[in-house]
Amino acid sequence: MASNNNSSAAAPAPATSEDQYFNTNPPPKDLDRHVALARDFINFHAAVGRPLVLVTSGGTTVPLEKQTVRFIDNFSAGTRGATSAEYFLEAGYAVLFLHRQFSLLPFSRHYSHATDCFLDFLREGPDGSVVARDEDAGKMLHVLRQYRDARDRNLLLVLPFVSISDYLHELRSITRLLRPLGPQALLYLAAAVSDFFVPPERMSEHKIQSTNAVDSVQKGSKTAPTTTDEEIFDNFDSSPAVPRSKRLVVDLDPVPKFLKNLVEGWSPQGMIVSFKLETDPAILVHKARYSLERYQHHLVIGNLLSTRKWEVVFVAPGLPDRWIRIPIHKQQHESKAAAVEKDEPLDPKSLPEGEPELEIESLIIPAVKELHTRYIKAYNEGKARG
C-alpha cells in the first residue's frame, strides 16, 4: 500500500513536562553566577579525586503573586541539611550546600538556632574588644576552627534559593555539572520541596487585595467604597460565615516529579539519596519503598515528624530496611556506634523529654558514606567488566 505521508520532515517532538515547566517558570536572577561558582568548585575537587556531595536544605516557597508579597511555605528550618553538611565534611567530602535563603547554615546553626540571642554568647573584653563568654569560648573556638578549615581549603560552597522554581532551576543546572565526577558525586536531597505551585499564567502581577477598596481605582471610578465592602476581610469580623465569593481560593497545580529526570538524565552516574517525611508510622516504609521503586534511585531515608531526631529508616534496593536509632539509655552519649536495627518505628511516648544527646546525623552520614563507597566500588567493577 502506498504511503499517505506527504511530509518530508518529521514533526517536532512534543514538549515534555520538564521543558514546559522550565520554559514557563523563569530562572532566578543569580542562576548564571551560581552555576559559575558551582562549576569552579566541582572542577577543583574533580581534579584531585575528592568525593563531593550536593546537600539540599530548607523549604521552598510557593509565591502567590509575581511581585511576591504572599507565599505558601513549610516549617523546615534546614536543620537536617545543615547538620548533615558538617558531618559530611568530617567524613572527607567536599560539600556544595544548596539552601533556602536565611535557613540554617553549617556551623553558624549552633548559634543562629539557639533559644538565646546570639549576643548572649558574647561579652565585652577589658580592652573594649568583643569576646565569647568564658563558658561558651571552648565550643565556639572549636566550631570556628572547623568552619575556617572548610572555607580555607575550599571544601564548602554555599548557594541560596527561595522559591520552588528557584530550587528546581538551581538543582537541574548544578546536577548536570556533577557528571564529570561520575560515581564520586553524591546527591543528598534533604530540602523540603513543595508539592504544588501556582503557574505564572494564573498568578497575580501585584499583591492580592484582601478588600475591594481599590475596585474604584482599578475601574476608573471616583466613587469611594462603602465601609462594609472595605472591611469584608476583617479577621475580627463576628459574622458567622464568610460568603465563598469573599474568600481567597488558591488553585494549585502539582509540581512535576523531577526525581526521575535527575536519575536518568541530569546526573545519571551519581548516587542519589532522597528523604521521605511522614506523620503516620503505618505508611512510612511503604511510601519510602514506593518512591524507591518509582524513581529507581539509590536510597530513601524515611523519618517520622514526631521521632525524626531519634531515628530514621534506610530503604535501599536489594537490602533489608535498616533502622538507625539513637539508643534510649543513660549511656547514649558514650558511643556513636549506636545504630540499632528494628522492624518498626519508635513509639513517640517512649522517648525521654528534651533533645537527644547525640545528633542523629552523626549516625546517618557514616552509614550513607558506607553505601556510597559500595556504590563507587560496584560502579568501577562494572565498568571494568564492560
Side-chain angles (χ1 to χ4, degrees):
M1 181 179 294
S3 172
N4 198 31
N5 182 8
N6 296 323
S7 175
S8 59
T16 65
S17 60
E18 176 183 343
D19 294 332
Q20 184 175 0
Y21 182 89
F22 287 110
N23 289 337
T24 56
N25 289 272
K29 59 182 176 58
D30 289 329
L31 180 62
D32 290 343
R33 184 173 65 87
H34 289 177
V35 168
L37 291 169
R39 181 183 293 110
D40 290 345
F41 185 78
I42 291 166
N43 290 344
F44 177 85
H45 294 291
V48 297
R50 181 178 288 111
L52 184 147
V53 58
L54 168 64
V55 176
T56 68
S57 183
T60 60
T61 67
V62 178
L64 300 183
E65 303 121 342
K66 292 180 181 177
Q67 298 188 48
T68 307
V69 174
R70 296 182 176 88
F71 54 85
I72 300 171
D73 204 354
N74 60 55
F75 78 96
S76 176
T79 305
R80 178 81 79 205
T83 308
S84 296
E86 291 183 26
Y87 288 105
F88 273 121
L89 288 165
E90 187 178 298
Y93 285 81
V95 176
L96 203 169
F97 190 70
L98 181 63
H99 74 105
R100 162 74 175 276
Q101 189 177 42
F102 306 127
S103 66
L104 295 182
L105 295 174
F107 306 113
S108 66
R109 70 179 176 93
H110 296 278
Y111 305 101
S112 60
H113 203 45
T115 53
D116 297 325
C117 171
F118 175 73
L119 296 176
D120 289 333
F121 295 96
L122 306 175
R123 65 177 177 84
E124 184 177 351
D127 58 350
S129 60
V130 177
V131 297
R133 293 187 307 185
D134 293 344
E135 59 268 37
D136 300 308
K139 180 182 177 181
M140 291 189 79
L141 179 60
H142 176 69
V143 172
L144 176 62
R145 284 173 173 171
Q146 288 183 310
Y147 171 75
R148 291 309 317 175
D149 180 68
R151 295 305 297 261
D152 293 347
R153 295 169 58 201
N154 194 30
L155 292 173
L156 176 64
L157 175 64
V158 175
L159 299 175
F161 64 82
V162 177
S163 70
I164 176 63
S165 177
D166 294 348
Y167 172 77
L168 290 173
H169 275 282
E170 298 269 4
L171 182 67
R172 183 177 70 158
S173 297
I174 291 171
T175 53
R176 287 173 168 177
L177 297 175
L178 293 172
R179 290 175 182 172
L181 291 173
Q184 292 281 98
L186 175 63
L187 288 77
Y188 185 86
L189 307 178
V193 182
S194 308
D195 291 317
F196 301 94
F197 78 112
V198 181
E201 65 271 17
R202 295 210 306 269
M203 198 181 294
S204 171
E205 176 66 32
H206 299 287
K207 174 188 172 185
I208 299 171
Q209 296 300 310
S210 60
T211 75
N212 63 357
V214 297
D215 282 359
S216 59
V217 176
Q218 293 172 338
K219 295 175 182 178
S221 170
K222 296 182 180 180
T223 304
T226 64
T227 302
T228 53
D229 285 337
E230 189 171 351
E231 302 300 331
I232 55 175
F233 272 79
D234 187 345
N235 289 332
F236 299 97
D237 188 354
S238 59
S239 58
V242 178
R244 184 170 180 81
S245 62
K246 307 300 185 183
R247 301 173 190 170
L248 175 63
V249 179
V250 181
D251 184 15
L252 302 173
D253 281 6
V255 173
K257 299 298 184 183
F258 287 114
L259 187 53
K260 190 171 183 63
N261 302 62
L262 195 157
V263 172
E264 296 180 351
W266 300 355
S267 186
Q269 296 175 349
M271 177 176 165
I272 299 171
V273 180
S274 70
F275 282 78
K276 179 62 66 175
L277 175 70
E278 295 293 341
T279 58
D280 183 353
I283 65 172
L284 175 63
V285 173
H286 172 77
K287 291 289 293 292
R289 179 66 60 186
Y290 174 80
S291 178
L292 190 73
E293 293 173 353
R294 180 178 182 184
Y295 301 114
Q296 298 295 301
H297 56 302
H298 308 98
L299 174 64
V300 177
I301 300 179
N303 54 150
L304 290 165
L305 181 63
S306 57
T307 60
R308 67 191 185 283
K309 295 182 179 181
W310 292 89
E311 69 174 357
V312 298
V313 59
F314 277 27
V315 180
L319 295 175
D321 300 337
R322 181 186 180 191
W323 288 88
I324 294 179
R325 174 174 294 112
I326 295 175
I328 307 172
H329 53 71
K330 294 180 181 179
Q331 289 76 35
Q332 66 180 17
H333 62 284
E334 295 180 359
S335 173
K336 286 192 176 183
V340 179
E341 296 187 13
K342 191 174 181 292
D343 303 285
E344 59 188 20
L346 279 171
D347 180 356
K349 296 179 181 178
S350 70
L351 298 176
E353 292 185 5
E355 299 289 310
E357 296 182 35
L358 279 178
E359 292 179 317
I360 187 69
E361 292 80 9
S362 69
L363 307 180
I364 293 173
I365 303 312
V368 170
K369 182 180 180 180
E370 178 187 347
L371 290 177
H372 189 208
T373 301
R374 288 189 205 171
Y375 174 77
I376 294 171
K377 181 180 179 182
Y379 179 90
N380 291 332
E381 288 176 350
K383 190 174 180 180
R385 288 194 300 266

